[in-house]
């Protein structure tokens, strides 16, 4: 959790962002959440009525604060999408809770921010085509399952084949990479995956999960990208979207480097790259 505070501090210290660039998001409402999640699941989360196995799958204990944090984290990605539609890009300094399924949480994810956001943008802004570009080292299995069989939201996940989740779902496009995959090989695959995603979905909005966990010194990731490689990844994704004038809402997703400052730096680089492309 400490990485989020440090990220904000680092962005301020960069001189590229000021206090006025940061907003506290509204929590996602029940109506917004239940477009992506089962109403009974939301009720049970809100009331603290998950059973022990469900709480264990999520990975942290239930509390009122945990519910509020999960609502706010989804609300922040939603706010970022609204902002992106008017100025090109915006970001949630947390979020990327892509392991949350329609009726269950998993892997530190309670509600699926990308799914809630895609649904909200369809309703509020009338978007017909949204794409989720998930570059976290773990597969976006919750997002894939929520949008299975739904042509209006395209799900692309590029991840470690042997990373959690071990039973994977089927995204619209999955690229699974072997342990130890480095910068050049990763970027070769990502470029093709991104092209295919944009070709097949022609999105009006992209939700980009810029996970810092494909990093070579990440405790949970099995890939071997350098910081330079991750910056090239961001340049590829953001540069392509900017060139095609596709708005992007960015969520941070995972990052568990042995030295937490490495994860913070990787996340900060993503936001600085976006700021450099679109301006303030
Ligand atoms: Zn991850």
């Amino acid at each position: 959790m400490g990485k989020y505070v440090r990220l904000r501090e680092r962005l301020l210290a960069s001189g590229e962002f000021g206090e006025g660039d940061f907003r506290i998001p509204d929590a996602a409402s029940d109506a917004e959440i239940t477009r992506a999640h089962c109403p009974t699941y939301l009720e049970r989360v809100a009331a603290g009525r998950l059973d022990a196995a469900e709480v264990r799958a999520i990975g942290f204990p239930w509390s009122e604060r945990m519910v509020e944090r999960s609502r706010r984290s989804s609300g922040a990605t939603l706010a970022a999408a609204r902002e992106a539609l008017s100025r090109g890009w915006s970001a949630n300094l947390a979020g990327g809770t892509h392991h949350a399924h329609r009726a269950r949480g998993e892997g530190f994810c309670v509600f699926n921010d990308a799914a809630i956001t895609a649904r909200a943008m369809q309703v509020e802004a009338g978007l017909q085509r949204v794409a989720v570009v998930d570059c976290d080292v773990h597969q976006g299995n919750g997002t894939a399952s929520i949008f299975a069989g739904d042509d209006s939201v395209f799900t692309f996940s590029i991840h470690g084949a042997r990373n959690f989740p071990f039973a994977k779902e089927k995204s619209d496009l999955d690229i699974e990479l072997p342990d130890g995959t480095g910068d050049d090989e990763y970027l070769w695959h990502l470029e093709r995956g991104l092209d295919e995603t944009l070709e097949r979905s022609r999105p009006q909005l992209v939700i980009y999960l810029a996970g810092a966990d494909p990093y070579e010194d990440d405790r949970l990731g099995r890939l071997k990208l350098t910081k330079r490689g991750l910056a090239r990844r961001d340049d590829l994704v953001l540069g392509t979207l900017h060139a095609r004038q596709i708005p992007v809402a960015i969520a941070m997703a995972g990052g568990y480097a042995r030295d937490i400052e490495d994860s913070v730096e990787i996340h900060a680089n993503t936001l600085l790259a976006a700021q450099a492309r679109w301006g303030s």
Side-chain angles (χ1 to χ4, degrees):
M1 293 288 172
K3 83 174 179 177
Y4 301 117
V5 176
R6 292 184 203 197
L7 175 57
R8 192 176 188 285
E9 287 167 355
R10 193 176 184 111
L11 293 172
L12 279 172
S14 75
E16 298 297 324
F17 295 91
E19 289 284 355
D21 291 320
F22 299 103
R23 317 253 170 87
I24 295 173
D26 291 329
S29 69
D30 287 358
E32 286 159 350
I33 292 170
T34 54
R35 290 190 196 117
H37 292 280
C38 172
T40 315
Y41 172 62
L42 169 59
E43 278 170 33
R44 292 169 59 247
V45 170
R49 286 195 283 107
L50 297 174
D51 67 34
E54 290 175 304
V55 171
R56 210 161 40 241
I58 288 170
F60 39 56
W62 185 90
S63 66
E64 296 273 359
R65 285 178 60 98
M66 174 268 238
V67 178
E68 181 65 12
R69 194 171 62 232
S70 301
R71 283 183 184 272
R72 294 265 176 181
S73 187
S74 290
T77 302
L78 182 43
R82 289 181 181 129
E83 189 79 5
L85 290 184
S86 64
R87 58 192 288 264
W89 83 283
S90 187
N92 177 357
L93 296 193
T97 44
H98 58 170
H99 300 309
H101 290 65
R102 187 169 168 76
R104 65 186 172 87
E106 184 179 284
F108 309 117
C109 304
V110 178
F111 303 130
N112 191 309
D113 60 332
I116 289 167
T117 297
R119 285 285 180 246
M121 291 301 100
Q122 291 177 324
V123 172
E124 285 177 27
L127 300 192
Q128 292 171 321
R129 299 177 310 278
V130 176
V132 180
V133 172
D134 189 336
C135 292
D136 190 275
V137 81
H138 305 98
Q139 192 207 27
N141 59 335
T143 322
S145 71
I146 288 170
F147 293 118
D150 181 337
D151 290 340
S152 68
V153 181
F154 189 95
T155 54
F156 167 39
S157 181
I158 178 167
H159 50 264
R162 294 184 62 230
N163 266 116
F164 177 92
F166 305 110
K168 303 218 174 12
E169 300 285 339
K170 194 171 175 352
S171 310
D172 291 302
L173 176 61
D174 285 297
I175 297 179
E176 305 212 311
L177 300 169
D179 287 5
T181 298
D183 293 349
D184 289 339
E185 195 184 346
Y186 181 95
L187 291 162
W188 189 92
H189 286 286
L190 175 60
E191 185 169 4
R192 274 145 197 83
L194 187 61
D195 281 349
E196 183 179 338
T197 296
L198 300 181
E199 181 72 27
R200 285 170 60 190
S201 66
R202 293 177 299 111
Q204 296 160 296
L205 171 73
V206 164
I207 301 168
Y208 173 36
L209 276 66
D213 50 13
Y215 178 50
E216 58 189 345
D217 205 31
D218 194 273
R219 288 179 293 119
L220 302 185
R222 305 183 74 99
L223 304 185
K224 288 278 174 280
L225 273 72
T226 64
K227 285 181 191 171
R228 169 93 188 101
L230 287 158
R232 287 167 62 200
R233 173 198 71 173
D234 291 336
D235 273 341
L236 175 58
V237 174
L238 298 173
T240 302
L241 298 179
H242 183 261
R244 299 193 193 190
Q245 298 184 308
I246 301 169
V248 58
I250 307 171
M252 297 295 97
Y256 318 91
R258 258 169 270 279
D259 179 352
I260 195 66
E261 287 304 329
D262 287 341
S263 297
V264 172
E265 182 184 346
I266 293 162
H267 286 314
N269 285 344
T270 304
L271 298 159
L272 290 167
Q275 181 83 322
R277 293 267 176 200
W278 276 270
S280 47

